[in-house]
Amino acid sequence: MTHLRPTAMLLALLTTPALTAPAFAADGELTVFDWSGFEDPRIFQKYVDQHGAEPTFAFYGDDDEAYQKLASGFKADVAHPCSQMVSKYRDAGLIEPWDTARITNFADIDPQFLDSPIFKDDSGVWYIPTDWGATAIAYNTENVPAEDVANLQVFVNPAYQGRTSLPDSADDVWALGYLATGTTDWTNVTDEQFNAAADWLRKAHQNVQAYWTDPASLNQMMAQGGVDVAWSWNDSPTQLAVENFPVGFQRAPAEGSSTFFCGFVNLKDGPGNEDKAYDFINAWLDPSAAQGVLDVVGYGHTTMAGMELVKDDPRVVAGLGPVDVPLLAQTPNDPAQRERQLAEFEKIKAGF
């Protein structure tokens, strides 16, 4: 039987003041700075089998929060950013290359996830991609007709005023704004495209009950009936379905949906045991971890052998399989453009 921590308990943990402090002490020789939910040992069981304990985890709610915390001096051994953040870590001198000779299944990582000089260059491999997913429309199938989520304009539909939620993540929100206004590639955005997306997001803001900060908070809002439509990662539909909530995940609205992938960086001057950092990555990249990643958060594994093990699972077919609509890939984009999006998003949330 799949075990998931109850949504209410997750929310309680995530709303404590110690959000970015270690949630529990386990193996004190390895500190992992991660998204909440990824502390589930099913994802890295081989590390637990090897060392008899789980790593010590500290949590963050979004990529920018994690970066700011680490840039301000917070110490950890490894962190789990999504791909568009890696250049920022490199430019700030916060990370060092991985020794891929110590990573057992490195050669089995699907090459598409390393196809960037930001991740891999003459200086070494700076990023180990581990997991990937989709951002699309999660909705209450009892309250929302399928035709209403056939396009992204559901987020500006007056019928859903006060019934929508968007992520408190500039990357995901701008992916939505660009797609909704006809832009499917954010690597070369014009001022006209930026302004069109910003105008649309301001309209969408009028319908938002709250911006979700993590999947547990979105789960809570949907389970309590306050939110019927959300721009969501795979996590919430996966976890709500286990709780028998009537949830749909529409990845094929007319304008398209988004994809992302995340992985681990090796933080400079980590306080722990470097050997254990490699043991942790090796546990994550073991093909057997693919089932845990799928069960816990609904994501795909970056190794080809791992995905082969789960490819026929209905959750993979529905939540990660091919769709016949545009896909905006959240790959690294111009850092200056990303900062511009971040600043504009703060204005939009503030009602300006």
Side-chain angles (χ1 to χ4, degrees), residues 137 181 183 270 324:
I137 306 173
T181 52
T183 296
D324 191 22

Side-chain angles (χ1 to χ4, degrees), residues 45-197:
Q45 187 61 49
K46 289 209 168 184
Y47 182 93
V48 180
D49 295 343
Q50 183 178 1
H51 295 288
E54 301 169 17
T56 295
F57 278 87
F59 301 118
Y60 52 86
D62 64 65
D63 267 323
D64 291 291
E65 176 196 341
Y67 172 81
Q68 291 298 333
K69 183 80 172 178
L70 290 165
S72 299
F74 179 75
K75 290 297 183 183
D77 298 299
V78 297
H80 190 184
C82 293
S83 64
Q84 62 272 19
M85 291 294 295
V86 178
S87 59
K88 198 166 182 176
Y89 280 91
R90 285 192 63 175
D91 291 347
L94 291 174
I95 62 176
E96 58 189 12
W98 290 98
D99 180 358
T100 58
R102 301 174 66 181
I103 299 177
T104 307
N105 289 309
F106 177 77
D108 193 45
I109 296 174
D110 190 323
Q112 66 175 314
F113 295 114
L114 285 165
D115 187 21
S116 170
I118 293 171
F119 308 147
K120 179 181 176 184
D121 62 14
D122 292 341
S123 301
V125 174
W126 298 85
Y127 189 53
I128 303 297
T130 52
D131 52 292
W132 59 279
T135 312
I137 306 173
Y139 65 103
N140 183 323
T141 57
E142 291 184 350
N143 296 341
V144 181
E147 56 267 28
D148 283 7
V149 292
N151 60 69
L152 296 178
Q153 305 315 312
V154 66
F155 289 104
V156 295
N157 184 339
Y160 292 96
Q161 187 170 11
R163 297 168 60 193
T164 72
S165 183
L166 300 179
D168 194 6
S169 159
D171 293 316
D172 289 295
V173 161
W174 280 93
L176 171 61
Y178 286 135
L179 283 165
T181 52
T183 296
T184 58
D185 181 351
W186 72 5
T187 60
N188 189 23
V189 174
T190 66
D191 285 345
E192 182 180 8
Q193 290 170 321
F194 174 86
N195 290 330

Side-chain angles (χ1 to χ4, degrees), residues 9-340:
M9 187 181 297
L10 271 172
L11 185 65
L13 286 171
L14 291 168
T15 52
T16 61
L19 179 64
T20 55
F24 55 86
D27 187 338
E29 292 188 326
L30 181 67
T31 299
V32 178
F33 198 30
D34 213 333
W35 307 85
S36 181
F38 285 91
E39 75 278 17
D40 192 308
R42 285 176 289 174
I43 298 174
F44 49 87
Q45 187 61 49
K46 289 209 168 184
Y47 182 93
V48 180
D49 295 343
Q50 183 178 1
H51 295 288
E54 301 169 17
T56 295
F57 278 87
F59 301 118
Y60 52 86
D62 64 65
D63 267 323
D64 291 291
E65 176 196 341
Y67 172 81
Q68 291 298 333
K69 183 80 172 178
L70 290 165
S72 299
F74 179 75
K75 290 297 183 183
D77 298 299
V78 297
H80 190 184
C82 293
S83 64
Q84 62 272 19
M85 291 294 295
V86 178
S87 59
K88 198 166 182 176
Y89 280 91
R90 285 192 63 175
D91 291 347
L94 291 174
I95 62 176
E96 58 189 12
W98 290 98
D99 180 358
T100 58
R102 301 174 66 181
I103 299 177
T104 307
N105 289 309
F106 177 77
D108 193 45
I109 296 174
D110 190 323
Q112 66 175 314
F113 295 114
L114 285 165
D115 187 21
S116 170
I118 293 171
F119 308 147
K120 179 181 176 184
D121 62 14
D122 292 341
S123 301
V125 174
W126 298 85
Y127 189 53
I128 303 297
T130 52
D131 52 292
W132 59 279
T135 312
I137 306 173
Y139 65 103
N140 183 323
T141 57
E142 291 184 350
N143 296 341
V144 181
E147 56 267 28
D148 283 7
V149 292
N151 60 69
L152 296 178
Q153 305 315 312
V154 66
F155 289 104
V156 295
N157 184 339
Y160 292 96
Q161 187 170 11
R163 297 168 60 193
T164 72
S165 183
L166 300 179
D168 194 6
S169 159
D171 293 316
D172 289 295
V173 161
W174 280 93
L176 171 61
Y178 286 135
L179 283 165
T181 52
T183 296
T184 58
D185 181 351
W186 72 5
T187 60
N188 189 23
V189 174
T190 66
D191 285 345
E192 182 180 8
Q193 290 170 321
F194 174 86
N195 290 330
D199 289 344
W200 188 91
L201 288 172
R202 284 186 167 84
K203 294 176 184 175
H205 174 76
Q206 303 306 313
N207 278 0
V208 170
Q209 183 194 96
Y211 288 87
W212 60 265
T213 54
D214 51 76
S217 64
L218 176 57
N219 295 353
Q220 187 78 352
M221 287 188 284
M222 294 193 75
Q224 290 181 342
V227 165
D228 286 328
V229 181
W231 189 236
S232 171
W233 305 328
N234 302 73
D235 311 46
S236 288
T238 298
Q239 294 163 0
L240 287 168
V242 169
E243 297 177 5
N244 296 315
F245 182 82
V247 63
F249 194 44
Q250 168 60 288
R251 293 183 55 234
E255 304 93 334
S257 55
S258 185
T259 61
F260 61 86
F261 64 95
C262 308
F264 284 89
V265 290
N266 191 4
L267 297 167
K268 279 186 180 178
D269 304 319
N273 184 315
E274 184 81 350
D275 290 338
K276 289 188 174 182
Y278 281 92
D279 291 342
F280 180 73
I281 295 301
N282 283 327
W284 245 101
L285 289 181
D286 191 90
S288 64
Q291 189 67 56
V293 174
L294 181 63
D295 288 344
V296 174
V297 289
Y299 292 177
H301 203 243
T302 55
T303 68
M304 293 179 284
M307 286 307 297
E308 184 66 22
L309 292 175
V310 299
K311 66 179 182 180
D312 296 326
D313 189 295
R315 293 168 297 178
V316 171
V317 176
L320 298 168
V323 288
D324 191 22
V325 294
L327 291 175
L328 189 152
Q330 294 187 40
T331 53
N333 56 354
D334 180 10
Q337 178 66 20
R338 189 176 182 280
E339 290 302 312
R340 183 185 185 193

